[in-house]
Amino acid sequence: MTARAASTVLVGRQPELAGLREALGRARAGDPVTVLVGGEAGVGKTRLLEEFGAHATGAGARLLIGQCLELGEAGLPFAPFAAALRDVLRHDGPAAFAGYEAEFARLLPELARVPAGVAAPTGLPVSDTPRGYLFDLVADLFRRIAEERPLVLLIEDLHWADRSTRDLIGFLVRAARATRLLLVCTYRTDELHRGHPLRPFLAELDRARGVDRIELGRLDRDGTAAILADLLGAEPAARAVDDVHGRTQGNPFFIEELAAAGDPVGCAVLPETLRDLLLARVDRLPEPAQRVLRIAAAGGTRFAHQLLAEVAGLPEAELEDALRAAVAGQLVVADPDGDYEFRHALFREAVHDDLLPGEHARLHARYAAAIEAQPHLVAAGRAPAEIAHHWYAAHDHPRALIAARAAAAAAVDRYAYAEQSRLLERVLELWELVPDAADRLGMDHLRVLEETLAAATTAGDYNRALTLTRAGLAEVDSAAEPLRAAGLLHRRGRLLALLGKSDGTAEVGEAYRLATGVPDTPERVRLLADIAAHLVKIDPGQAAAVADEAMAAAEAVGEDVALLPTRIALICRTDQAPDLGLSELRRAEALARATGNAPALVSALVYLSDVLYELGRYAESEEAAEAGVSEARRVGISRSTGAYLLSNRAEALIALGRWDEADAACAEAARIDPPGVSGLHWLQLRAGLRLARAHPAADELVGRALAFLARPYLWPNHRLPLRELRIEAALAADDKVAALAASRAALADERLVDLPREGWPVLSAVARAAALVGDAALAAEASAVAAVLPARYPAERAHAAQVTAILTGVQFDADAPGAPAQRSGAALPAWRAAVTQWRAVGQPYPLGRALLALAEAAAAAGERDEVAGAVREAAEIATRLGAAPLGEQAATLARRVGLRGAGRPGPDLLTSREQEVLRLVAEGHSNSRIAERLFISPKTASVHVSRIIAKLDVTNRVEAAALAHRLGLLDPTPPTPAQRRGR
């Protein structure tokens, strides 16, 4: 019997197929979904996707397919997306990319041939299109396609994906804007060794919203029998099933290959290894076809006819006959584009691995030479990467060295910085194997290290960059080249700080020492400026001195002052003169714009938005940050400096009460995924935002943010907001023990009194914890810190008033430590002052919280009209912001004081009898004693107590009594309006 090459039935995958269908249903409903399908090679991932693809198409979905190329980390960036977009171009025509042909040409070179006058909206050439902007365009294209009908994007062999492809996939997963999009990616689990770059990427995706995992296991014996029955068209013998299942262990591809290799009844005598089996099938081909397959295997799983013809050097007719035999033998398949592909990558691997050493090197050398001579033989943009790959595989070290360097340069044009870093790592690897490497490349080994260091830093691989600084410092002669050594030391110090390993002071200090005796040059000016910027958060006085020196040196060498906008801003901040700092920043911004210094402009806008925020000019801060975000995208630095602009914008939006926009800005920062502690600000902001909204994922995000506190070093302006977040999270969880521990740790922070901007919010949280938990010692310590902490700007003054209000008139019960503190009448004027301050600041959320505290103080003083107005306004703020806990607190307070209808006055919450019972409860009487005093039965007294607890929304008698004191519910004869006015 002759077996078919592939099974036509899907065996044992019904649960997985049902999961994919369910995911498609969610995507159709408007929720973007990603499904990661893993399994070992040949386990049936592609077969499952084929079945699902047919279902999706039949259900009216649009299907796009892309495949990663087996060129590794040094491969062609964005290959699967190029294939998917090519399908869009084929079916929808150029109109799908109208107006953005130049940008999409980075992924689809065919679009580079656009009519005259068509350019990107920014007017940039194709190579200058910012990567973040390109990602946005791809996401928007998929969104537009999905608007017509659900879109299913299948990406196969993610284990071969390059860094840029992974970054774009991560962006699409987190963007969550392409509604009705289902993204399905497959990968081989047996390829994921410990150091494989896909492992951390998959772990990161697991934490993203809407990401599901499907793991395909091997089939059981019955599954093997079902596949064999379908392949053979008859029930196989039990012996054949046992043999095939034992050798394949239920791998569907292996089953198919064993069945197709010969007489199924005699499968037991076939070669034991898969490679031998695959090669046995190859051996059945005519010798010319076998020779062509060996040549094709060196070119990759997919190969173009013209390139194969060039490398093979055969007459066209002979080549076509050989390919026809391979296609007929089900080893190679042809596609509509005229290219060929091995039916499975394992075929190609088996044939390629069977090449003799000399044959292997010779064929790869032919491919490299052919592509070098005729780059058009491969898809546009692939030539540098493929040339580098083939020369490396050919073991031609000199050519591989030069090709890797050229491919690294080409990677920069695509903003594929991770690929650039990987290729430069290969240059370093080959350096020792090429005696005249320096002459061939025109640079010394240290220069390659420095380039690799810069690429790794830009790519966000800070740990590798840190290792490269160590290698560079071991190689540089600090006596002969002090400035070069100083540059490496500064980079190392900065990386240590960004990774939270140390403050980098020792390294930066040594860098400054080495740079001190060097004559003034532009390089020295830039280094001094960088050193000043690093020191400002550690030693502002020294930072100012170094920056002054840098400014003087800049004038001496004629260096443009716009080079130093960030440093000017930092110096101005150190002398606590924000108005001067603001004017200097405006000047630096203007100089940067006039000279076209985009990085300087972005830096100026970072600090401009920051200073404006500190001054309480939130709308201007948001505008400056938004302008900076656009500029950072334009020049491709969104992941570095641009990340700070995103979080600065989110911070200003939070202050303005535009929380949805703030969350979107944080989401954009998350998609960029800034490395090291540069990604902390947005994370801390979003964690606080979700905590204030009681978001289901708040705990997870808070945990991620607080994990930064475990790092050996954090800049104080990063550390203090985390201390505030820890207290707020504990209070939100009603964890008094954790709240006290976090508060004491915050007060023990040595930099608390040095940074009023970050210190006052921390102190507010500590005061709240002290009052709610009833810790007099903590309250006293908070008061002592408040007495010495400067309150310079609007928000700081509002926090100061709030701390005063929290602690003013608070009475702690010495006999009941840990019980909630009670307020005296003195709290009302203090809270009125705090509310006035927050109104002047213009931040709605802290105003809402202050209004609730004011309402409690007013209730205790019997000022019912003031209670109603404060509760109503707080409830309105909570609704506008989506701050559910604040809204619930407003509703609870309204119930407790007898307000109805969004804070409007209503009948008293407690009846006169319940007020009598509550007064006796507050005096500490039992139910029996209350019954005796009021001449009622103990059962009736118990019912009254239960109703009181329910109406006050507390959990026990002690809390009811404490709340009654705080809200003034114990007065048997509430004062008249005239009496209230007379108080």
Side-chain angles (χ1 to χ4, degrees), residues 622-862:
E622 189 273 330
E623 291 173 2
E626 186 176 25
V629 168
S630 299
E631 186 68 16
R633 285 174 180 164
R634 188 181 70 82
V635 296
I637 56 174
S638 293
R639 195 167 187 261
S640 52
T641 313
Y644 294 104
L645 286 160
L646 281 169
S647 58
N648 281 2
R649 180 169 183 260
E651 188 175 34
L653 288 168
I654 290 172
L656 291 167
R658 293 156 59 182
W659 281 17
D660 288 340
E661 294 177 71
D663 189 68
C666 289
E668 188 174 352
R671 291 192 293 271
I672 293 173
D673 190 23
V677 297
S678 60
L680 173 57
H681 191 207
W682 76 262
L683 183 61
Q684 168 249 319
L685 290 173
R686 200 177 201 191
L689 199 60
R690 290 190 168 180
L691 195 64
R693 284 181 155 180
H695 190 283
D699 290 344
E700 185 268 338
L701 213 60
V702 168
R704 284 175 56 192
L706 295 181
F708 277 81
L709 285 172
R711 302 199 178 198
Y713 177 78
L714 277 181
W715 281 305
N717 65 313
H718 284 156
R719 186 175 65 245
L720 289 174
L722 289 180
R723 297 206 183 281
E724 177 199 0
L725 178 64
R726 172 169 279 176
I727 299 170
E728 293 288 356
L731 292 175
D734 196 25
D735 189 338
K736 296 180 180 179
V737 174
L740 286 176
S743 296
R744 293 191 178 101
L747 291 178
D749 195 300
E750 59 184 9
R751 297 300 301 275
L752 179 64
V753 296
D754 299 330
L755 300 172
R757 173 176 172 176
E758 291 80 15
W760 276 114
V762 174
L763 204 57
S764 285
V766 171
R768 286 183 62 232
L772 291 175
V773 176
D775 192 310
L778 183 62
E781 192 173 352
S783 295
V785 175
V788 298
L789 190 62
R792 308 159 302 171
Y793 311 126
E796 295 171 11
R797 290 192 288 269
H799 275 294
Q802 179 168 292
V803 170
T804 300
I806 293 173
L807 300 178
T808 294
V810 171
Q811 301 170 345
F812 295 93
D813 189 346
D815 296 328
Q822 309 304 317
R823 297 190 184 279
S824 69
L828 182 57
W831 275 113
R832 286 170 177 162
V835 167
T836 299
Q837 290 282 1
W838 280 120
R839 288 194 193 282
V841 171
Q843 293 191 35
Y845 183 63
L847 172 61
R849 297 175 80 170
L851 283 166
L852 281 186
L854 171 64
E856 285 197 12

Side-chain angles (χ1 to χ4, degrees), residues 21-204:
R21 290 176 175 175
E22 188 271 337
L24 178 59
R26 282 187 284 149
R28 187 186 300 276
D31 290 328
V33 183
T34 299
V35 180
L36 304 172
V37 181
E40 67 179 11
V43 81
K45 301 181 294 296
T46 300
R47 182 69 188 87
L48 174 66
L49 261 60
E50 288 174 351
E51 188 77 13
F52 171 67
H55 164 78
T57 303
R62 175 77 178 271
L63 184 66
L64 296 177
I65 301 175
Q67 188 162 12
C68 300
L69 302 178
E70 190 188 2
L71 292 177
E73 284 292 296
L76 177 67
F78 310 117
F81 290 97
L85 294 180
R86 189 166 286 113
D87 186 80
V88 173
L89 178 63
R90 183 184 302 116
H91 289 88
D92 299 342
F97 310 92
Y100 299 97
E101 292 88 345
E103 289 83 355
F104 278 104
R106 282 184 56 197
L107 300 181
L108 203 58
E110 295 95 312
L111 288 172
R113 299 181 291 275
V114 297
V118 177
T122 59
L124 296 172
V126 173
S127 61
D128 291 336
T129 305
R131 191 163 99 146
Y133 181 53
L134 177 65
F135 284 10
D136 276 333
L137 289 178
V138 173
D140 187 66
L141 173 64
F142 289 157
R143 180 191 58 77
R144 286 187 280 111
I145 293 174
E147 284 178 349
E148 299 178 2
R149 51 180 172 152
L151 174 61
V152 178
L153 175 60
L154 306 182
I155 296 181
E156 296 197 67
D157 297 326
L158 199 58
H159 52 279
W160 286 332
D162 60 281
R163 173 63 181 273
S164 295
T165 295
R166 294 196 299 271
D167 286 349
L168 181 47
I169 290 173
F171 179 88
L172 292 175
V173 170
R174 293 180 175 86
R177 289 178 295 179
T179 55
R180 303 213 304 169
L181 168 65
L182 172 59
L183 174 62
V184 183
C185 302
T186 70
Y187 62 94
R188 291 184 187 174
T189 53
D190 51 343
E191 291 277 353
L192 303 188
H193 53 79
R194 184 177 296 274
H196 198 288
L198 190 61
R199 290 173 69 99
F201 179 71
L202 292 175
E204 189 67 26

Side-chain angles (χ1 to χ4, degrees), residues 512-657:
Y512 177 67
R513 188 190 69 78
L514 289 172
T516 299
V518 178
D520 285 336
T521 62
E523 291 75 17
R524 181 174 182 271
V525 169
R526 286 190 286 269
L527 178 61
L528 290 176
D530 288 338
I531 290 174
H534 181 90
L535 289 174
V536 74
K537 295 178 182 178
I538 302 167
D539 188 342
Q542 186 183 2
V546 175
D548 282 338
E549 184 179 349
M551 295 292 291
E555 293 178 2
V557 300
E559 189 72 3
D560 190 355
V561 176
L563 176 71
L564 308 173
T566 301
R567 290 79 193 175
I568 295 172
L570 294 173
I571 295 169
C572 294
R573 288 187 64 194
T574 60
D575 64 8
Q576 298 187 1
D579 293 332
L580 174 61
L582 195 59
S583 64
E584 291 289 349
L585 274 171
R586 295 291 191 191
R587 175 172 171 266
E589 178 191 7
L591 284 170
R593 290 187 186 279
T595 58
N597 190 335
L601 175 58
V602 171
S603 294
L605 289 171
V606 168
Y607 289 97
L608 178 62
S609 62
D610 192 58
V611 169
L612 287 168
Y613 182 91
E614 189 166 17
L615 292 172
R617 295 159 65 171
Y618 305 124
E620 294 176 69
S621 173
E622 189 273 330
E623 291 173 2
E626 186 176 25
V629 168
S630 299
E631 186 68 16
R633 285 174 180 164
R634 188 181 70 82
V635 296
I637 56 174
S638 293
R639 195 167 187 261
S640 52
T641 313
Y644 294 104
L645 286 160
L646 281 169
S647 58
N648 281 2
R649 180 169 183 260
E651 188 175 34
L653 288 168
I654 290 172
L656 291 167

